[in-house]
Amino acid sequence: MAGRRRGTGPRPLLLLLDGHSLAYRAFHALPDTLRTASGELTNAVHGFVSMLLRLLSERGPAAVAVAFDVGEDEERTEAYAEYKAGRDEMPDDLSGQIERLHEVLDVLGIPVVEIEGVEADDVLATLATIGVAAGHRVEIVTGDRDAMQLVDADVTVLYTLRGISEVGTMTPEAVQERFGVPPDRYVDLAALRGDGSDNLPGVPGVGAKTGADLITRFGSVEGVYAHLDEVPGKKVPAMLREHRPAVDRNLALMTLRRDVAVGVGIEDLVPSAPDVEAFTTLFAELELRTLGERVRREL
C-alpha cells in the first residue's frame, strides 16, 4: 500500500473523528442493501471508511484519532439523572457495525481513543487541547453542535450537514454567522436554548435567535441574569428567572471537558502502517471488494 501523506505547511494537522456520530450518519445515509451474502449489514462500515479515506486524502493529516462513546456518561448522569433519558437504543444492525469498525480501524492502523464512562465529545476536546499544545492545527469531524465551543484560531470543526458527503467548515467566523454568537459563547447560547437530544430543556420562549440576541447584548449567561431588568418584554424575563436552575445545569453539562485522562500523547496518534494480511482477510469477509481496492490505492 502506498504511504500516507503527512500534513504540510507551517504546522502539522491532527484530524479527530467522532466515531458514533459518523457511523450513525453513514448508517442512515446508505441503503440497507449493502450486505454480505450471509446477510450482515455493512452500510455504516462502508460509509465511514469512504469518508475516512476522503478526509485522509484531502486533509493529509500527520496524526489521526477516532473517538467512540463507551458506556453511560458517569459524570453528567451523576449530576443530572435525566441526562439523555428517553433516547432510542442503538439498532442492533448498527451496534454490530461499531464492533466491525473497531476491527477495520485496527487493521488500517488508525488510532482509536475511548474511555469507559466518558463521552467521545470530551475525549475529542481533550485530544484537541493536546494537539494544539504540541503545535498542531486541529480539525474535528462531527455532527454534534456542542463541538462549536472548541472552535478557535487553531481548531476547526468539519460539521456534517447531509449524509456523509456534505460538511460545513466551521471557523470562528462561520460559527458567528451560523449561530449568531462566537465559539466561546456558544455554550451560553445552548444553555438558554436547551438541547432536546440530550434531554436538557431550555428556557421556554428563548429559541436560537432570542438566545443569540441576549448573549450578544449581555455577553454571557451571567450577564443576562445580571441585567434581567433590561431584557425586553415581560414573558422572557419571567421565564428566564423561573428557569435559572435549568440554565445553570445546562451550562455545566454542555461544557466539554478538556482534561480527560486519555493516556496518550500526540506521538501515539500517528497512524501506523496497515496490516496488509489482516486487512485483506477482513475486507474479504465483509465483501467490501471495491472499497478494499480503494484502500489499497490510497493508504
Side-chain angles (χ1 to χ4, degrees), residues 177-261:
E177 181 178 354
R178 184 178 181 88
F179 298 102
V181 295
D184 63 351
R185 290 303 173 201
Y186 179 81
V187 178
D188 294 85
L189 166 61
L192 293 174
R193 183 192 61 207
D195 187 342
S197 66
D198 287 341
N199 195 37
L200 296 175
V203 179
V206 178
K209 184 179 186 309
T210 299
D213 290 344
L214 289 170
I215 298 303
T216 298
R217 181 173 178 182
F218 300 111
S220 65
V221 162
E222 286 299 323
V224 170
Y225 280 99
H227 298 86
L228 270 183
D229 58 336
E230 298 175 34
V231 175
K234 295 182 178 180
K235 182 178 180 181
V236 170
M239 290 294 99
L240 284 166
R241 187 174 292 108
E242 179 182 345
H243 293 273
R244 176 70 189 266
V247 172
D248 289 341
R249 177 201 66 211
N250 291 350
L251 196 61
L253 296 179
M254 292 173 169
T255 300
L256 297 181
R257 297 171 56 192
R258 305 183 191 217
D259 59 353
V260 174

Side-chain angles (χ1 to χ4, degrees), residues 67-76 113-124 126 257 260-262:
F68 288 96
D69 298 311
V70 183
E72 187 177 76
D73 186 306
E74 296 171 356
E75 188 173 295
R76 290 183 176 86
V113 183
E114 51 191 11
I115 310 294
E116 180 73 35
V118 178
E119 288 194 16
D121 290 346
D122 295 313
V123 173
L124 293 171
T126 300
R257 297 171 56 192
V260 174
V262 291

Side-chain angles (χ1 to χ4, degrees), residues 10-252:
R11 289 189 298 164
L13 172 66
L14 168 61
L15 180 68
L16 301 173
L17 291 83
D18 185 338
H20 274 99
S21 174
L22 299 183
Y24 264 107
R25 288 276 179 174
F27 179 75
H28 291 291
L30 297 179
D32 63 5
T33 53
L34 288 170
R35 296 178 181 269
T36 65
S38 65
E40 181 180 355
L41 187 62
T42 59
N43 59 346
V45 173
H46 190 288
F48 188 104
V49 175
S50 295
M51 173 176 269
L52 173 64
L53 291 175
R54 188 175 82 244
L55 289 165
L56 293 175
S57 175
E58 292 177 353
R59 319 309 288 195
V64 183
V66 181
F68 288 96
D69 298 311
V70 183
E72 187 177 76
D73 186 306
E74 296 171 356
E75 188 173 295
R76 290 183 176 86
T77 303
E78 183 177 342
Y80 180 52
E82 297 303 307
Y83 180 66
K84 292 192 175 180
R87 274 196 177 186
D88 293 335
E89 291 292 323
M90 181 184 296
D92 290 341
D93 275 345
L94 177 55
S95 60
Q97 291 190 77
I98 297 294
E99 296 176 15
R100 283 298 205 180
L101 272 174
H102 280 76
E103 296 178 49
V104 168
L105 292 168
D106 182 52
V107 301
L108 295 183
I110 303 296
V112 171
V113 183
E114 51 191 11
I115 310 294
E116 180 73 35
V118 178
E119 288 194 16
D121 290 346
D122 295 313
V123 173
L124 293 171
T126 300
L127 293 176
T129 302
I130 290 170
V132 171
H136 287 55
R137 298 176 294 120
V138 178
E139 293 181 345
I140 303 172
V141 190
T142 183
D144 193 326
R145 292 182 299 182
D146 285 344
M148 300 305 159
Q149 66 191 269
L150 303 175
V151 172
D152 59 22
D154 300 303
V155 179
T156 299
V157 169
L158 303 179
Y159 184 51
T160 52
L161 298 172
R162 184 179 303 167
I164 58 171
S165 59
E166 184 179 344
V167 298
T169 302
M170 305 306 294
T171 60
E173 296 76 18
V175 172
Q176 176 72 54
E177 181 178 354
R178 184 178 181 88
F179 298 102
V181 295
D184 63 351
R185 290 303 173 201
Y186 179 81
V187 178
D188 294 85
L189 166 61
L192 293 174
R193 183 192 61 207
D195 187 342
S197 66
D198 287 341
N199 195 37
L200 296 175
V203 179
V206 178
K209 184 179 186 309
T210 299
D213 290 344
L214 289 170
I215 298 303
T216 298
R217 181 173 178 182
F218 300 111
S220 65
V221 162
E222 286 299 323
V224 170
Y225 280 99
H227 298 86
L228 270 183
D229 58 336
E230 298 175 34
V231 175
K234 295 182 178 180
K235 182 178 180 181
V236 170
M239 290 294 99
L240 284 166
R241 187 174 292 108
E242 179 182 345
H243 293 273
R244 176 70 189 266
V247 172
D248 289 341
R249 177 201 66 211
N250 291 350
L251 196 61

